[in-house]
Each structure stands twice: as C-alpha cells, then as structure tokens.
Amino acid sequence: MSVESSSAPRAEGARIEESGFGRKAGGPVAWLEDRTGGARALKPFIRKVFPDHWSFMLGEIALWSFVVLLLTGVFLTLWFDPSATETVYDGSYAPLRGVEMSAAYESTLNISFDIRGGLLMRQIHHWSAMLFLAAMLIHMLRVFFTGAYRKPRELNWLLGVGLFAVGLLEGFAGYSLPDDLLSGTGLRIADGIVRSIPIVGSYLEFFLFGGEFPGDAVIPRLYILHVLLLPAVLLALVGGHLILTFFHKHTHWAGPGRTEKNVVGYPFLPVYVAKTSGFFFIVFGVTALMGALIQINAIWNYGPYDPSQVSAGAQPDWYLGWLEGALRIMPGTEWTIFGWTFSWNVFVPSVIVPGILFTVLALYPFVEQWLTGDRRTHHVLERPRNNPTRTAFGVAGITWYGILWAAGGNDVLAVTFHLDIFAITWAARILVFVGPVVAFLVTKRICIGLQRRDAEQVLHGYETGIIERSPDGGYTERHAALSGERAYELTAHERPEVEGMPEDVDDNGVRAPQSRKAKVRARLSRFAYGDVVEKPTREEFESDVEHRAEIETSDDEFSGVSETGVPRSD
C-alpha cells in the first residue's frame, strides 16, 4: 500500500515489539537507545518515503555494481603485483612459458590460472565495471529526459556528472593494469593524448609516466590511482549523491494525489530496505553469472605488451569507444609555431571534445533555468514528450555519441561487412555533424505529434477499434472516454512561458539596459517552446462532457449488428 510523507498508524496486533522476537530484541535495543539516542536521530530517515517505479532502479543497479566492484577488487588486490619489473613466465599457461613479461602481467596470469576462483573474480570485476558505467549513463539519461535535475537537484546532477567522469578514469586505470598488449596500446594512446596538450604536454608526460613511454613507473602509479585515490573520490561522490537524495524529496511520476509538495510511495524501513537488499543479490547474481559464462578480457590471447606491436582489430571497453572514434575520424592536422608542435588531430578529439561534452552536461540545468525563468521547486517528473526541445537535444546527443562509438570500430566494420575503411571514416565525419541535426528535428516533431495525440485523447477519448455503420451507410470508429487517472496523467504538466521580445528603449526613450541579452533569451525561448502544443483547458474539457456522455450512453445501448449490418436492440 502506498503512503504519503505522513505515516499512518499501525493496525492492532501488527506491532513488532509485541511479537516474541520483538520482546527478546527489545532489551539490547533499548539499552543501546538509552546510551546513543540513535533511534530518535534516525527516525526521519527510517520513515523517508520512496516512490515505486521501475526506472528508479537504474541508479540502484549502478550503486550495487559499485559495491560488487569493491568486493571483487579487494580479492584481486591480494594477488596482483603492480610492478613493471621484467620476469620470465613459468606458470600454468603453457603457450607463454619462457616469455619475458612484466610482473603485473605475470600476476594477472597467475590470478587467472593458478588462484582458485581468480578468473571468475576477474571476470565479475570486469563485467561489474561495464555494468556500473552503463547503469550510470542510462540513469543520467532518465534524469535528463524527465527533468529530474531541476531545482533543488542541480547539485546532485553535478555530482552525477562528476561520478561518470571519474568512473571513466577509474575504468581506464583498471583496464590498463594487466600490462597486456591490448591495454598497453590504450596506454600508448593516453601518452599521445597527454603529449598533444600544447606547450606543457611533454612535461606532463614525464610527470605522469616517470619518463619516456612506457617506462617502469606508470603501472605502480596507475595502481595507486585505481585502488586508492579514484575509489576514494567515487565513494565521496556516491555518498554525497545519496545524502542529497535523502535530503531532497524523491521525484515521482505525475498521478492523482501526487504534487510538487509531497511524495507518494513506501517508507525506507522496512519496505524499501527489503526491496533494495533483494535487488543487490539480483545484481550480484547476474554479474556472477556473466562472469562464469561470458568470457571478457582474455589477456592470455594478447600476450605481454610490446611497444613495437599493435593487435589487429584492437578495441577499448565500450565506455571509451566514443573517444576512440573521435580520434579515428579527426583529419590529420598539425602546426609548428615557434618550435612548438600543436597536434590538433589528437588534442581536439581527445581533450577539447570531452571537455565541451562534460561542460555542456554540467551547465544544462542552469541554462534551462535561465531560459525558462522557472526557479520553483519540482518533485513531479515530466514526460519526455512534454518538453520536445530537451528530448530532441538529448536524442541528438545520443546520436552523436553513437556515431563516434561506431567510428571507433571502423576497421572491424570494414572487415565484417567488406567495406572500404576510408568510406566508413568519411561517412562518420559527415554524419557526426548531420546526424544529430536530423535526429533533433525528427525527435521534436515526434514529441509534438505525441502531444497532439494526448490532447485529442483527453478531449475525445481513445480509439476502441470498434467500427460503427450509420443509417446513411457511413462508417465511424467509436471512442471511449479516458479514465480520470489517465486523463490526469496526460494533463498534469505545465507549458513553459515563451519570453516576449523586449523593447529597445524604455518609456522615456532611453535605451533599455541588457536589451541585447534579453533578445537572445527571447529568441532561444521561442525556439525551444514556441511550438509546444497547449494542453486542453478546463473550458475545452467541460465543453466536451456532453459528447463523452453520449459516447458512454452509446456504449450501454450498443449490442452489435445483425448479419445484414443492422444494429441489434435489446
């Protein structure tokens, strides 16, 4: 049973302290409460209400995947040797016996073949990392498309963006630790990216890698980043994210009884705790099953890293595929000015483009707030169709990301589909600019069309699929009125006000201050919200009551038709 923020009294006989277990546990609990006062302090959090909807589980998948990462990472830390010291392998994997390799690669082979359960833990760890980032990305998309980042959750949105950025770095650091040929190739690309930074690139390379690439210092330094510094940052960001989620009311979908001032759902304890605890075991079970049945990152197939070799068809993990694609489709452009080399073909796609992306993500809630002038508190989520410009902007971003991601595998696509790799590269160069624009326009028109359909359903009902024949031989489809709950869901949103164009001068003929800025805002407002469909007004809805009453009456009177097509009457 769903409850609002205020708690309802328990039914008689349902008090847990009156049960046998409650009486036995009451003594120690009362003793602890008398000395700490914890129950009084925790009561507001224990009774915190959380709404129930499947889309809210996306954040929980990310959280529990992170927990699985920590648990499996502790196990791997006990056996991994983060050293670039050269050694000769003499382990269980026969094809590599006698091969010179780093201690890091040797210890990874030992974990995979000699430590009981080591390979399973490695694969669970890797799959959890992939799932962690995937769940974070989809969770952010859900927040973006539903407007859940609006006041008062702007700071939580910034924490989420930071979480995703740090998660990318953490994933890359862990991916690079085994020192196999594939991960070493990724490190070589990272070295080139650092070098491409104008003026200070070579100094940063020596600082990070301890000298010329590959060097002996990078593996131990990456290890410290991966197991200590970045996890600490992630824990802090996750903790801050959860604290703010508790502090703010949780968002919920529109529906009867759900407003901007309440939350309808279940209390944190015991309902939500029981559900989310069970969900943890589901996430752990799924990742364990994937680790047991689906092989990933088989480093023994690649061999130890050799700077003179590159694997054919080498691909990074999925979350770095878009950066790989940006590097592959960027035309070769390099300048030399006053003895300084500017490698734009590396610096732009690997530094400038990600910087722009994360800046846009971080600033978007504030830009939208400035554009709409809406600084009210929001707890009710928006359906994506009710904000066509935001939805179209998000789909354009997904399209851009997907094109870059596909371009990161241009060599694999060429071999698989027997295509010219240069044709694929040029197609990606064009589509990365054209594709998002087309996706934006198409998505916006689809959203506006869905808005019109919603308004039509509210006023005239939904199509039943029943065709009626009139006495004059015409055919019409019968409509049925929407339920009150469904009609409320379709109309429980506000249309943003379109800013009017300001006057150049005031009443006294003096040039209005900041008129240029106001004009820019007005033009952007008209572009974003000028063609949004108005939801039915109360007057329109009431004027259609008689029509809907006739529909309902005809529903009661209609008894089908005879073999000749004449309506039957009871």
Side-chain angles (χ1 to χ4, degrees), residues 184-201:
T185 302
L187 268 179
R188 185 61 178 264
I189 295 173
D191 172 69
I193 291 172
V194 174
R195 274 195 187 190
S196 71
I197 300 175
I199 302 177
V200 298

Side-chain angles (χ1 to χ4, degrees), residues 513-545:
Q514 299 182 344
S515 61
R516 184 174 301 176
K517 180 180 177 181
K519 284 183 178 181
V520 171
R521 180 186 175 191
R523 291 191 182 96
L524 291 175
S525 178
R526 186 183 300 122
F527 170 77
Y529 307 112
D531 48 4
V532 173
V533 178
E534 292 280 4
K535 66 180 181 181
T537 63
R538 179 182 294 274
E539 291 74 17
E540 291 174 333
F541 186 77
E542 291 177 351
S543 67
D544 202 60
V545 169

Side-chain angles (χ1 to χ4, degrees), residues 16-228:
I16 190 171
E17 58 266 31
E18 296 177 359
S19 65
F21 172 78
R23 285 191 293 270
K24 292 178 181 178
V29 171
W31 182 89
L32 188 64
E33 167 62 15
D34 289 341
R35 287 153 180 80
T36 63
R40 289 187 295 272
L42 294 176
K43 186 175 181 180
F45 300 100
I46 291 174
R47 300 303 298 170
K48 191 75 173 179
V49 173
F50 285 85
D52 189 29
H53 193 271
W54 66 266
S55 63
F56 301 148
M57 291 185 177
L58 296 170
E60 293 184 47
I61 294 175
L63 174 63
W64 296 132
S65 297
F66 181 60
V67 173
V68 174
L69 277 171
L70 294 177
L71 295 175
T72 54
V74 170
F75 177 91
L76 297 175
T77 302
L78 300 176
W79 309 103
F80 182 72
D81 182 5
S83 172
T85 304
E86 289 294 325
T87 183
V88 177
Y89 180 68
D90 189 28
S92 299
Y93 188 63
L96 290 178
R97 286 178 188 163
V99 176
E100 289 189 2
M101 60 184 64
S102 67
Y105 186 66
E106 181 188 41
S107 64
T108 308
L109 289 175
N110 290 336
I111 291 173
S112 302
F113 295 108
D114 298 309
I115 305 300
R116 190 181 300 275
L119 180 58
L120 177 63
M121 286 295 179
R122 270 195 65 232
Q123 300 211 142
I124 292 176
H125 190 74
H126 203 127
W127 277 119
S128 296
M130 306 275 269
L131 186 62
F132 172 57
L133 287 160
M136 267 205 298
L137 179 61
I138 300 174
H139 177 63
M140 287 179 65
L141 289 175
R142 197 276 300 173
V143 171
F144 180 85
F145 283 121
T146 60
Y149 53 75
R150 294 174 296 171
K151 183 183 178 181
R153 297 175 184 84
E154 303 96 331
L155 180 58
N156 225 5
W157 170 260
L158 293 177
L159 290 179
V161 173
L163 263 172
F164 187 67
V166 176
L168 292 178
L169 294 175
E170 172 74 339
F172 176 75
Y175 168 83
S176 304
L177 284 178
D179 199 31
D180 59 289
L181 185 57
L182 184 62
S183 65
T185 302
L187 268 179
R188 185 61 178 264
I189 295 173
D191 172 69
I193 291 172
V194 174
R195 274 195 187 190
S196 71
I197 300 175
I199 302 177
V200 298
S202 58
Y203 301 102
L204 287 175
E205 179 201 21
F206 273 62
F207 175 75
L208 295 174
F209 290 87
E212 289 280 355
F213 180 83
D216 297 329
V218 64
I219 297 297
R221 293 180 180 183
L222 280 176
Y223 182 74
I224 295 300
L225 283 174
H226 184 66
V227 304
L228 183 61

Side-chain angles (χ1 to χ4, degrees), residues 468-476 565-567:
E468 290 182 329
R469 183 180 179 184
S470 63
D472 59 359
Y475 291 90
T476 57
V566 177

Side-chain angles (χ1 to χ4, degrees), residues 307-475:
S308 64
Q309 299 177 358
V310 177
S311 297
Q315 303 290 319
D317 280 346
W318 75 266
Y319 48 86
L320 294 175
W322 66 284
L323 281 174
E324 176 85 4
L327 281 167
R328 292 192 182 196
I329 68 174
M330 180 69 183
T333 305
E334 189 174 281
W335 297 349
T336 301
I337 303 176
F338 299 115
W340 297 95
T341 301
F342 296 83
S343 300
W344 302 115
N345 56 321
V346 178
F347 180 68
V348 170
S350 60
V351 180
I352 299 296
V353 170
I356 293 174
L357 173 64
F358 283 99
T359 301
V360 170
L361 287 175
L363 295 181
Y364 190 89
F366 305 97
V367 173
E368 183 178 278
Q369 188 179 89
W370 170 76
L371 195 60
T372 61
D374 184 5
R375 289 174 172 78
R376 296 169 299 169
T377 297
H378 292 278
H379 299 307
V380 178
L381 298 173
E382 285 187 313
R383 301 174 77 205
R385 67 184 64 180
N386 291 330
N387 198 314
T389 301
R390 179 206 297 149
T391 303
F393 189 77
V395 173
I398 294 173
T399 304
W400 175 82
Y401 179 95
I403 292 170
L404 290 181
W405 188 77
N410 58 355
D411 54 341
V412 177
L413 293 175
V415 172
T416 303
F417 297 103
H418 306 288
L419 299 173
D420 185 352
I421 190 171
F422 296 104
I424 296 175
T425 302
W426 272 103
R429 289 173 178 174
I430 297 171
L431 288 174
V432 78
F433 294 102
V434 176
V437 175
V438 174
F440 180 92
L441 297 175
V442 171
T443 303
K444 190 171 184 179
R445 300 317 304 174
I446 291 175
C447 289
I448 292 173
L450 291 174
Q451 284 185 318
R452 291 196 179 101
R453 190 191 71 172
D454 289 347
E456 184 73 16
Q457 285 187 350
V458 170
L459 291 177
H460 306 299
Y462 65 92
E463 299 172 351
T464 62
I466 300 175
I467 306 300
E468 290 182 329
R469 183 180 179 184
S470 63
D472 59 359
Y475 291 90

